Amino acid sequence: MSSILAIIAAFLGSGVVIGTPIQQAAGGYLDADATLVAPGTGAFRIWSLIYAGMLAYAIWQALPAQRHDERQRRLGWWVTASLLLNAVWIFTVQLDLLWLSLPVIALLLAVLCRLFVLLRRSTPKSRVEAVVADGSIGLYLGWVVIATAANAAAVLTAAGFRGFGAAPEFWAALVLGVASAVGIALALWGGGRIAPTLSLCWGICWVAIARAIDEPRSELTAVAALLAAAAVIAATAFARFHHDRRGRG
């Protein structure tokens, strides 16, 4: 029940139904045209899928058949913590506390990484569990990786960071490289799990789209984003191939 309430609070606080949309809150520093690493507006449609997946997981996990499942008991409180942190992040932005949003989303990313570790330690017992648990949490994690990068860029921009004389494209490529490195690490350690790669690359590709057709325009950043996404996809395919090969061995 706490997970469901956290999802509802986050959905309402995001401004989808009432209030200010997240992209317009906090001085607009999280909007698609605020920084070079901000994903295009279309990227945020993924939240509908993430919320639907996490709601499905919360309901499925509460069913009588799962109440004594050791895997779900290990995941439960961490999932609830992630959803509560997501709601806290949304409300910090709505209250124009952009500086506070960065440590909150960093903590959210740490919690989701912990969930990924727990998921990796055991295998789902059914295809349904693989989709609603591993798949939903994986999508959530991958998106938060790129969201954390964009959030960090927004906070630095709002604080007046000028890059120590280096070109903005250099810093954008560096941030995208870090996000890509995290995605590659998740792919290699996770045996090529698809869900985190899908949502992370979705976000990175929307950075490329935004920089190619929206302001601030930056072809160099668009190319860097596409290369970052390609690296994550290649690492995932490599890890998946070797994971499946070991499984057949």
Side-chain angles (χ1 to χ4, degrees):
M1 181 60 71
S2 57
S3 295
I4 294 174
L5 291 175
I7 293 171
I8 293 172
F11 179 75
L12 293 176
S14 65
V16 173
V17 179
I18 57 174
T20 305
I22 287 296
Q23 292 90 340
Q24 299 174 19
Y29 283 105
L30 295 171
D31 207 348
D33 59 359
T35 70
L36 288 180
V37 295
T41 303
F44 298 95
R45 295 173 188 151
I46 198 172
W47 271 117
S48 298
L49 182 59
I50 292 172
Y51 281 139
M54 296 308 296
L55 182 60
Y57 173 72
I59 294 172
W60 177 83
Q61 191 259 349
L63 295 175
Q66 315 307 327
R67 289 178 183 172
H68 302 293
D69 185 282
E70 185 60 31
R71 190 176 195 242
Q72 305 314 316
R73 291 176 69 179
R74 289 198 301 268
L75 295 174
W77 289 109
W78 289 101
V79 170
T80 299
S82 74
L83 294 170
L84 289 173
L85 282 168
N86 181 57
V88 170
W89 181 87
I90 287 172
F91 286 109
T92 60
V93 174
Q94 291 287 9
L95 292 172
D96 289 334
L97 299 173
L98 183 62
W99 62 272
L100 184 58
S101 68
L102 184 55
V104 172
I105 200 171
L107 183 57
L108 170 58
L109 179 58
V111 168
L112 288 171
C113 286
R114 173 60 180 168
L115 276 166
F116 190 76
V117 170
L118 293 174
L119 288 171
R120 183 68 179 84
R121 286 178 178 174
S122 57
T123 56
K125 299 175 182 64
S126 66
R127 185 164 296 180
V128 172
E129 182 180 355
V131 172
V132 300
D134 298 61
S136 297
I137 294 170
L139 285 176
Y140 193 5
L141 170 60
W143 172 255
V144 170
V145 171
I146 187 61
T148 302
N151 200 154
V155 169
L156 289 172
T157 299
F161 179 69
R162 294 293 178 266
F164 302 116
E169 286 80 4
F170 167 80
W171 291 104
L174 180 62
V175 169
L176 290 168
V178 171
S180 177
V182 173
I184 291 170
L186 291 173
L188 295 178
W189 190 80
R193 296 198 175 202
I194 304 299
T197 293
L198 288 177
S199 53
L200 173 57
C201 290
W202 167 270
I204 293 176
C205 286
W206 270 101
V207 172
I209 292 170
R211 300 293 70 81
I213 65 175
D214 200 359
E215 296 298 332
R217 293 284 292 272
S218 173
E219 288 77 10
L220 287 175
T221 303
V223 170
L226 291 175
L227 291 174
V232 176
I233 292 170
T236 303
F238 172 82
R240 191 72 194 180
F241 172 78
H242 282 274
H243 179 269
D244 291 346
R245 189 176 180 182
R246 286 197 301 270
R248 291 192 298 267

